[in-house]
Amino acid sequence: DYAWLLEDWPVGVEARWRSASVTNPYSKIFYFEFGQSFLNYVLAGQNSLGNCLVGIHGNIYDVTDFLDDHPGSPDTLLAEAGKDSTDFFENIGH
């Protein structure tokens, strides 16, 4: 159960706040049936220099601190951040 993550992670707290109308937002059934939608919901808009999240294979990665060190430039990450980037990630050979 990943409910604890929502309370310990500022992005999770924000997503919880936006989902206040959902009955029992931490339900495991909700997570497994709507996991991809929830992933996109949490990632939406998280593509800035101050907060850069990338979704890959159903996981969310905070790459904010890695932006300046990325060999492909920060722009490459920012262009694919804030959404599920699995296809892009695999198509470039990672």
Side-chain angles (χ1 to χ4, degrees):
D1 190 321
Y2 296 98
W4 62 270
L5 181 62
L6 293 178
E7 293 299 323
D8 290 342
W9 196 25
V11 173
V13 172
E14 180 182 336
R16 180 175 179 233
W17 177 80
R18 290 186 292 177
S19 301
S21 64
V22 176
T23 308
N24 192 9
Y26 305 125
S27 154
K28 288 182 183 179
I29 293 170
F30 174 82
Y31 178 78
F32 287 111
E33 288 182 4
F34 302 101
Q36 188 61 44
S37 296
F38 186 69
L39 177 77
N40 290 333
Y41 186 70
V42 170
L43 287 170
Q46 307 299 326
N47 58 342
S48 67
L49 291 172
N51 192 14
C52 188
L53 303 179
V54 176
I56 301 172
H57 298 293
N59 298 299
I60 297 175
Y61 298 95
D62 184 347
V63 295
T64 307
D65 293 336
F66 180 65
L67 285 172
D68 291 330
D69 297 325
H70 187 259
S73 85
D75 295 335
T76 305
L77 284 175
L78 289 171
E80 294 301 318
K83 60 186 175 185
D84 182 0
S85 301
T86 302
D87 291 339
F88 178 79
F89 185 78
E90 289 180 347
N91 288 339
I92 62 170
H94 280 38

